[in-house]
Amino acid sequence: FIWYNRIAALKQRNAERMNPMKELTPDLLQEFSRSYAQKDGAQTLHTMLYKTDMADLSYVPLKGAALKGAFSVEVKTRGITAQEQSGRCWLFAALNILREKVAEKCKLVEFELSQNYLSFYDKLEKSNNVLQMVIDHAHEPIKGELMQYVLQGVADGGYWCEAVDLVEKYGVVPKQVQPETYQSSHTARFVSTINRLVRKDAWELRELVLAGKDPYARKKEMMQEIYDAQCIAFGEPVQTFDFSYRDKDKVYHEERNLTPLDFYHQYVEGSLRDYVAIVNEPTEIMPLNKPIQFHGVENMVGRDMLALNLPQKEMEALCVKQLEAGDAIWFACDAGAYGARKEGVWDPESVCCEALLGGFSTAMPKGRRLEYNSSSATHAMILVGVHFDETGVPDRWKIENSWGKDVGDGGYFVCSEKYFEDFVYEAVIHKKHLTEAQRKMLEEEPVIINAWDEDH
């Protein structure tokens, strides 16, 4: 038996030696070098990339230009916003949807809601929820999936449903009432600092619970510290304000002593609960044609996100219906994929980094791309237009971004249908546009996706 094991081990070692890809040997590296030396154009590409940004070299101007021009359907919007150096795209996109309602009602040519006002409460709610989850789950192992998710801490990012929660709880205010500060538009330093505080607080609260002590008096003190820090960085949120403006006919209007909730109920018409997130994420844990509940535990605001996972073409058809009805669409995509920021284009044929690096392929099915962390929804914007080809099928989409007016076409971007198919993952659609079958799907028991399992 001993000799049998020795012979088996020897055979295994010999097999490993005979496998040329088990490790990077000198002979294998020499083979790679010889193959590279024979590769047509490789040295020319190296020379081009030696002193030039890949983003500039990878753009194919004629392909990008083919995506520009008017659109078959376009929704009017009130100008470009700028999130600057912050991750608040989701909030900008949501407020850019809502501001159109205010602008229409007040007959305004330009208008903007305060992103700083709601961002203040977003970070405060997230901090409170992290600390509360630490208390609620203090007996979970610190290196377990749940606690490691919780200890990710506070971030700028979010989704439509979180914006809805914030708006319904805290209302909205015009931007001139609560303008941006440097810290609100350059959030990295503040977020990293407040997360160090939150994680220290989490450790202390967990120890109190494990010791059998009441943590809530200490939690209140902690939240006061966080509130004070946010007021210093962003300004304390307004409680009441006056709203004065001249409409497009130069008529003067003024409303005095409004609360943010007064303003929301008076000027933002319609229920935000009438919108539903439509996603296209065909992964093994997320079946199509099913309602999906993201965040199987409490999220950072307190309500789980319910979405309907539909086939790509059904999501697109709903987007077309909403645009044709004159309403813009909050949507989320992978902004890091095939994008030319300066030119305002997202398109695999217009941005070809792979061609610069040897011409390899990174193609994967959409679901596998999500599962293997090759892509995810990294940016939210609003769809404001669509163009149809000669057969009536969408071939490009118009986008209102929140990166300011100095990129794209005055801040507006375009994406190809190929990009939309592969890298757009979510669109928020009014329920009135759903088919009867889709509305019935929403009544089914949702598939629960734990926060640490989601690809969203």
Side-chain angles (χ1 to χ4, degrees), residues 387-398:
H387 182 270
F388 303 122
D389 66 15
E390 62 276 7
T391 67
V393 174
D395 60 6
R396 53 188 168 89
W397 302 77
K398 185 177 181 180

Side-chain angles (χ1 to χ4, degrees), residues 95-391:
L95 291 177
N96 285 347
I97 296 286
L98 299 188
R99 69 154 176 190
E100 299 302 324
K101 299 177 182 294
V102 181
E104 281 294 319
K105 187 164 188 175
C106 298
K107 299 179 180 179
L108 297 172
V109 177
E110 291 185 352
F111 182 72
E112 198 167 340
L113 290 167
S114 172
Q115 302 89 2
N116 186 23
Y117 171 77
L118 275 191
S119 183
F120 181 101
Y121 286 117
D122 172 55
K123 290 179 175 60
L124 195 68
E125 287 280 359
K126 287 173 177 174
S127 297
N128 181 68
N129 213 45
V130 169
L131 299 186
Q132 188 56 47
M133 289 176 73
V134 168
I135 292 172
D136 293 343
H137 304 287
H139 292 87
E140 292 282 336
I142 196 65
K143 286 297 183 181
E145 291 171 315
L146 171 56
M147 287 305 298
Q148 287 301 299
Y149 163 68
V150 172
L151 293 176
Q152 288 178 10
V154 176
D156 272 349
Y159 294 98
W160 168 264
C161 68
E162 293 169 281
V164 171
D165 288 337
L166 291 166
V167 168
E168 291 188 337
K169 184 172 181 178
Y170 296 106
V172 291
V173 303
K175 188 161 188 173
Q176 65 264 30
V177 172
Q178 184 110 20
E180 293 283 291
T181 71
Y182 182 88
Q183 303 307 323
S184 69
S185 57
H186 301 74
T187 54
R189 186 77 67 182
F190 177 86
V191 169
S192 64
T193 302
I194 213 69
N195 271 325
R196 286 197 293 272
L197 174 61
V198 165
R199 290 168 186 140
K200 184 271 293 182
D201 290 345
W203 163 68
E204 187 177 336
L205 290 175
R206 187 168 182 269
E207 292 298 312
L208 287 173
V209 174
L210 294 178
K213 298 178 181 179
D214 186 342
Y216 286 102
R218 184 69 185 105
K219 184 196 170 192
K220 182 180 179 182
E221 295 173 348
M222 293 171 175
M223 288 305 304
Q224 180 69 62
E225 282 187 329
I226 294 170
Y227 183 89
D228 294 347
Q230 292 196 184
C231 287
I232 293 168
F234 310 129
E236 188 168 17
V238 297
Q239 301 301 311
T240 61
F241 61 95
D242 299 335
F243 179 46
S244 58
Y245 63 94
R246 287 190 185 275
D247 63 26
K248 63 182 181 180
D249 299 320
K250 307 302 181 183
V251 178
Y252 181 78
H253 305 264
E254 185 169 18
E255 290 277 349
R256 296 184 180 275
N257 296 317
L258 289 168
T259 68
L261 279 171
D262 289 338
F263 185 84
Y264 165 59
H265 291 302
Q266 187 167 334
Y267 290 97
V268 181
E269 297 176 338
S271 173
L272 300 181
R273 300 292 176 187
D274 289 336
Y275 290 84
V276 60
I278 304 298
V279 298
N280 174 244
E281 301 190 21
T283 65
E284 289 186 6
I285 63 172
M286 288 178 52
L288 291 173
N289 297 311
K290 287 286 186 179
I292 308 294
Q293 184 173 307
F294 292 100
H295 297 111
V297 295
E298 305 95 324
N299 67 13
M300 294 295 100
V301 174
R303 183 172 66 92
D304 290 344
M305 170 184 166
L306 185 67
L308 190 57
N309 196 21
L310 293 181
Q312 175 69 26
K313 291 305 179 184
E314 290 190 32
M315 181 172 74
E316 288 189 27
L318 290 170
C319 288
V320 170
K321 287 173 69 175
Q322 187 153 310
L323 289 172
E324 289 179 333
D327 294 323
I329 301 164
W330 188 104
F331 81 106
C333 64
D334 183 352
Y338 302 105
R341 182 187 183 102
K342 182 170 62 176
E343 292 80 9
V345 169
W346 276 290
D347 174 39
E349 293 187 1
S350 301
V351 183
C352 302
C353 291
E354 291 89 342
L356 289 176
L357 297 174
F360 52 77
S361 171
T362 59
M364 299 174 71
K366 193 172 187 179
R368 302 295 86 77
R369 192 182 293 118
L370 288 166
E371 291 167 342
Y372 282 81
N373 296 330
S374 182
S375 181
S376 64
T378 61
H379 188 45
M381 299 172 285
I382 62 176
L383 288 173
V384 295
V386 61
H387 182 270
F388 303 122
D389 66 15
E390 62 276 7
T391 67

